[in-house]
Amino acid sequence: MPVLSLLPLALPPLLRRAWLSAALIRATALDLAVLAGHLLLYPSGLTPERRPVTDPAATPQLPTSGRSHPPVVLLHGFIDNRSVFVLLRRSLARHGWRHLESLNYSPLTVDIRVAAELLGRHVEDICSRTGHAEVDIVGHSLGGLIARYYVQRLGGDARVRTLVTLGTPHSGTRSAHLAYAHPIVRQMCPGSELIKELRAPAPGIRTRFVSFWSDLDTLMVPVGTARLDHPDLLAQNIRVTGIGHLAMPVHPAVAAGVRQALTAGEPESADQDAFSVA
């Protein structure tokens, strides 16, 4: 598996600080470039994704045993839409994923719990249409927190095999105080009632969690808040160096890591090495 963390830890402290400063400049420049490109694509993602209309009663469901991949649900972050996943979706499709669906939730949504309930209905619809008993979810930023709430607090672990989060404030981020007036942003603050709910015991959760976090993610304050550390959850944390918050869903190295995370639990991948984290 590729090493996603490229920070030369062996450098002397002075050189390492200089390297980090240069890396932060590069990461910020990349985020700005991603933002510019995303603003062009943003209108294309405003409308809901078209989904096939099927009648489960009239269409026999084929057994899913032996299929290569379960469906993948892509869930965007705050004030965003499904267009953020254009490149990641293309990468997954090129590598054999056939069932890829995105869910837009309204920027007017004021409660992560409400968005998690909507996600649950969406997952049930996908399972009904595809005949799969489980899905995988990839969530960017707030999207990962919504998906985690669904899995951990609303019984979603019965449907979600693997949840991959990209730059998600699992412990709350202090940067959320900058937009504290928005109710859903307040829920992302450290110590919020929702964050306390997610810290509560969660025995028996079957979903596997993979959290990608970057030490140059300026929206995660502190950066370690994007790690998922919970004694009851099967969680793996992957550090990404040289990539900012906005670049997480579009960077090819992260896309490769996501593909590996989604296949790690499948029988044909059982002999692969674990992610390397320097």
Side-chain angles (χ1 to χ4, degrees):
M1 306 291 265
V3 178
L4 294 182
S5 178
L6 305 177
L7 179 64
L9 297 177
L11 287 175
L14 184 60
L15 290 179
R16 196 165 86 180
R17 284 196 295 272
W19 187 92
L20 277 172
S21 297
L24 181 58
I25 292 172
R26 289 193 299 269
T28 302
L30 178 59
D31 263 0
L32 291 174
V34 169
L35 177 60
H38 186 40
L39 287 175
L40 294 176
L41 288 174
Y42 191 89
S44 68
L46 289 173
T47 56
E49 187 174 65
R50 281 198 235 175
R51 302 187 182 97
V53 179
T54 58
D55 181 359
T59 306
Q61 300 297 325
L62 299 176
T64 59
S65 177
R67 292 188 187 180
S68 57
H69 305 294
V72 175
V73 183
L74 304 170
L75 196 60
H76 63 79
F78 181 60
I79 315 183
D80 211 337
N81 61 43
R82 60 188 176 87
S83 64
V84 73
F85 290 116
V86 166
L87 295 181
L88 177 58
R89 184 173 186 146
R90 187 178 302 166
S91 174
L92 291 171
R94 280 202 310 264
H95 287 83
W97 273 264
R98 297 180 56 195
H99 299 287
L100 298 165
E101 299 201 17
S102 304
L103 172 63
N104 277 359
Y105 56 90
S106 170
L108 302 179
T109 302
V110 297
D111 195 330
I112 287 174
R113 302 173 186 88
V114 172
E117 290 173 1
L118 173 64
L119 172 61
R121 294 195 295 271
H122 184 65
V123 168
E124 291 300 322
D125 175 65
I126 291 174
C127 291
S128 175
R129 285 190 283 105
T130 65
H132 282 269
E134 293 180 308
V135 303
D136 292 333
I137 298 178
V138 179
H140 178 229
S141 195
L142 173 60
L145 206 59
I146 291 169
R148 179 183 169 191
Y149 192 92
Y150 163 61
V151 167
Q152 192 175 327
R153 303 292 294 178
L154 300 181
D157 66 309
R159 287 295 195 192
V160 180
R161 187 193 64 152
T162 301
L163 169 57
V164 177
T165 64
L166 309 175
T168 289
H170 288 291
S171 300
T173 173
R174 291 200 292 269
S175 68
H177 290 288
L178 298 175
Y180 194 78
H182 196 296
I184 206 168
V185 175
R186 286 201 295 271
Q187 292 181 323
M188 290 189 284
C189 290
S192 72
E193 289 302 315
L194 186 127
I195 295 297
K196 289 177 182 177
E197 276 190 68
L198 293 176
R199 286 178 182 158
I205 298 294
R206 292 171 287 179
T207 298
R208 174 174 166 265
F209 297 82
V210 181
S211 176
F212 287 81
W213 66 282
S214 172
D215 50 11
L216 296 179
D217 187 337
T218 56
L219 290 184
M220 296 298 105
V221 184
V223 292
T225 193
R227 291 174 51 90
L228 177 51
D229 297 307
H230 191 295
D232 295 330
L233 301 181
L234 179 60
Q236 183 179 22
N237 293 294
I238 312 298
R239 186 179 65 189
V240 181
T241 297
I243 299 174
H245 188 78
L246 298 179
M248 294 284 275
V250 303
H251 199 282
V254 176
V258 169
R259 295 196 307 270
Q260 292 157 0
L262 294 179
T263 56
E266 297 175 2
E268 63 269 26
S269 304
D271 294 332
Q272 292 185 3
D273 294 333
F275 284 100
S276 298
V277 182

